[in-house]
Amino acid sequence: MKIKLLLTIILIHLISLANAQLSIADSVAFKNKMQWFADAKLGIFIHEGIYAVNGIDESWSFYNKKISYQDYMKQLKGFTLKKYDPKYWADLIAQSGARYAVVTTKHHDGVTMYDSKVDSLNIVKSTPARQDLIAPLFDALRKRNIKVGAYFSLLDWSNKNYTGFTKDSSRYKLADDYGRWHQFRTFFQSQIVEIGQKFKPDLWWFDGDWEHSAEEWEASKVRDLILKGNQNAIINGRLQGYGDYQTPEQNFPVSRPSFAWWELCMTINNNWGYHPDDMQWKSPYEVITIFTDVVANGGNLLLDIGPRADGTIPDEDVYVLKELGAWNQKNGEAIFNTVAGIPQGHFYGPTTLTKDGGILYLFLQGDISGNVTLKGLLNNIKDVTVLGSGTNLNYKIVGKISWSKVPGLVYIEVPKGVQDKYVTVLKVRLDGPIKLYNGKGGL
Ligand code: GLC
């Protein structure tokens, strides 16, 4: 009897050990899958759709009744892509320094940007463009070593079997007609399979999950469908809990988010799609300061552009992407393949670290000169230089008492004339992996 009990206990232990190891293996595999994303730091988001014809809010304009559905759909006739040059788009994205791009395959209006076999509401069959937007773009991006992502709206306000339509008129309640909902679900899931097979995205960017629950979308099944086609695909967080990373939309975090992986998605003016009456363009300085802040806090920036219906890209978008690219050319060492910087309080500004912790990068926003301070650094410094020019900077250790464990303050002298026109980066080479002190002092 006793032996039986002992054997059962041993068996239970063995099983839980095996399970623990399985989940460790899983998390190692998961980390590996996420690595390119963690290193990428910058993605370009592209909202292209028929809403660009009139230059109105993407899909929301008819949902919010700013325009009738009928008039909204008339834009199909004006969607030409006449000057669409995917190689130019890909060149521009590469020039910005981005390592991935995400493009709308289907927005909330249900119009697909490729030839969907399950719905003729697509730009190949229903617009004068008569061409697929996605395949040539993905091809051009991949040739430039840029990962590709598919934006896909789960909700589809055009589909006759979808529950919602406009803000105050819905088609039906799911509970009243489960069969109809099931038809919609079969439909959107078949589009996901279609996109997976046709374009093999490295990343899936879902949107619109808020209208239904995980059970109603069958979010777990959707995730499985994707991973069955490509086990390395990364999925954003808008899949009712079944995604891989968080997307704090247009939200500039004040403190470091606690998520392991996150991405701030942000427009360059205040709209996702082409919107000629929106002149609220962010300047390159604003975009670069936001970008460095995001990276310093362990996130990526997914920066959006809204091309016109003929496929051209507004000059303001181009300008920001090019300036950002030039800045990345000079300072990218402090951005790409780095990790989040030191905790707030040690330095008044964003910082990043090399993966081995041996180099600390300090970002100086604006036209800063004079002495900047670093607190609680236990390491010895090898040298401090300015990225780009390589200028060596003087620094002074202040208040280091020989018998105390409290490190001195580091004052780095930043002379006039070494500044970048947007954000200056100081490279602090340390004698080993960074060690910080934030104790209470004393002996
Ligand atoms: C929102 C909007 C949508 C936009 C998206 C991008 O969820 O519904 O129009 O495409 O954000 O993040």
Side-chain angles (χ1 to χ4, degrees):
M1 187 63 193
K2 263 192 181 162
I3 290 181
K4 237 185 172 176
L5 190 71
L6 201 70
L7 281 177
T8 320
I9 292 173
I10 291 174
L11 197 69
I12 290 172
H13 271 281
L14 282 177
I15 291 173
S16 66
L17 202 73
N19 277 344
Q21 270 178 351
L22 207 68
S23 69
I24 290 169
D26 267 1
S27 80
V28 170
F30 186 63
K31 270 198 171 157
N32 285 341
K33 171 181 112 160
M34 294 304 287
Q35 198 56 53
W36 73 257
F37 181 78
D39 292 339
K41 313 298 185 193
L42 180 64
I44 300 299
F45 209 172
I46 306 165
H47 274 68
E48 177 64 305
I50 62 164
Y51 37 85
V53 173
N54 293 359
I56 52 176
D57 305 354
E58 72 293 345
S59 311
W60 289 98
S61 47
F62 76 81
Y63 180 86
N64 288 325
K65 303 204 150 176
K66 289 187 180 171
I67 183 172
S68 70
Y69 181 71
Q70 220 183 4
D71 284 344
Y72 183 92
M73 282 301 160
K74 280 189 189 145
Q75 294 180 106
L76 285 166
K77 292 201 177 69
F79 192 77
T80 65
L81 286 184
K82 217 163 45 206
K83 295 182 183 157
Y84 178 42
D85 182 353
K87 291 196 185 79
Y88 171 73
W89 286 23
D91 278 340
L92 182 65
I93 291 166
Q95 210 183 336
S96 76
R99 306 293 204 250
Y100 65 107
V102 178
V103 62
T104 43
T105 58
K106 177 172 97 164
H107 204 264
H108 310 330
D109 61 12
V111 183
T112 56
M113 297 292 116
Y114 67 95
D115 191 5
S116 174
K117 296 281 168 278
V118 291
D119 195 357
S120 60
L121 189 57
N122 70 63
I123 59 166
V124 183
K125 293 202 181 82
S126 301
T127 76
R130 291 184 181 282
Q131 58 170 314
D132 166 22
L133 182 90
I134 311 297
L137 180 61
F138 277 16
D139 189 43
L141 288 166
R142 285 195 158 117
K143 287 207 172 100
R144 288 157 185 78
N145 237 332
I146 294 170
K147 300 269 187 194
V148 296
Y151 168 106
F152 183 86
S153 173
L154 293 162
L155 68 81
D156 183 338
W157 292 322
S158 279
N159 191 279
K160 63 178 192 323
N161 290 321
Y162 186 67
T163 45
F165 179 41
T166 67
K167 64 175 176 181
D168 43 33
S169 62
S170 68
R171 291 195 178 83
Y172 68 102
K173 283 211 166 37
L174 187 149
D176 295 342
D177 198 344
Y178 209 77
R180 194 167 169 192
W181 176 251
H182 183 68
Q183 280 189 48
F184 174 72
R185 211 159 52 183
T186 309
F187 160 75
F188 90 78
Q189 290 174 4
S190 67
Q191 284 191 324
I192 288 173
V193 172
E194 190 174 64
I195 291 169
Q197 286 171 354
K198 268 178 179 289
F199 311 118
K200 304 185 175 38
D202 302 303
L203 186 149
W204 285 79
W205 214 99
F206 287 108
D207 198 13
D209 66 341
W210 58 83
E211 287 201 350
H212 289 282
S213 66
E215 292 70 28
E216 286 161 6
W217 295 121
E218 291 185 326
S220 155
K221 180 180 166 196
V222 169
R223 183 179 173 87
D224 288 350
L225 279 177
I226 288 171
L227 297 182
K228 213 168 84 196
N230 171 10
Q231 57 171 3
N232 291 320
I234 293 178
I235 303 171
N236 80 333
R238 296 188 186 173
L239 189 57
Q240 292 288 15
Y242 286 84
D244 298 324
Y245 70 89
Q246 299 299 316
T247 51
E249 176 171 337
Q250 308 269 33
N251 175 39
F252 318 99
V254 173
S255 53
R256 187 172 296 180
S258 54
F259 327 120
W261 289 277
W262 64 277
E263 172 198 66
L264 164 69
C265 54
M266 185 183 84
T267 49
I268 299 184
N269 56 5
N270 288 341
N271 278 279
W272 297 102
Y274 174 62
H275 221 294
D277 58 0
D278 176 357
M279 300 308 282
Q280 300 300 311
W281 295 102
K282 294 181 186 72
S283 67
Y285 172 73
E286 287 149 6
V287 170
I288 292 167
T289 51
I290 295 166
F291 176 45
T292 52
D293 197 29
V294 163
V295 176
N297 283 303
N300 288 359
L301 176 67
L302 183 63
L303 184 66
D304 181 73
I305 58 171
R308 297 189 187 86
D310 65 0
T312 57
I313 300 175
D315 288 349
E316 292 86 347
D317 282 332
V318 173
Y319 172 61
V320 167
L321 262 49
K322 285 192 171 166
E323 288 296 289
L324 176 58
W327 186 87
N328 277 330
Q329 272 287 328
K330 181 174 160 193
N331 299 291
E333 173 189 328
I335 296 285
F336 304 104
N337 304 306
T338 64
V339 294
I342 53 180
Q344 286 175 0
H346 290 278
F347 178 70
Y348 293 125
T351 64
T352 56
L353 284 161
T354 49
K355 286 179 183 162
D356 65 4
I359 299 175
L360 172 68
Y361 298 99
L362 309 175
F363 297 86
L364 305 181
Q365 192 170 320
D367 190 16
I368 291 178
S369 61
N371 286 296
V372 296
T373 322
L374 195 55
K375 294 196 283 185
L377 180 70
L378 287 163
N379 305 69
N380 291 318
I381 292 176
K382 284 190 188 159
D383 54 22
V384 183
T385 50
V386 183
L387 276 199
S389 66
T391 314
N392 233 292
L393 299 187
N394 295 326
Y395 61 91
K396 185 178 166 195
I397 310 295
V398 175
K400 172 67 195 142
I401 317 290
S402 61
W403 46 262
S404 167
K405 63 184 174 200
V406 180
L409 299 169
V410 184
Y411 279 84
I412 303 169
E413 197 184 313
V414 186
K416 286 199 161 57
V418 300
Q419 286 74 12
D420 182 271
K421 73 175 155 163
Y422 299 124
V423 171
T424 309
V425 185
L426 308 186
K427 174 177 181 178
V428 183
R429 286 204 308 143
L430 307 171
D431 61 353
I434 192 159
K435 282 181 274 157
L436 294 170
Y437 178 82
N438 62 3
K440 290 192 170 60
L443 296 176

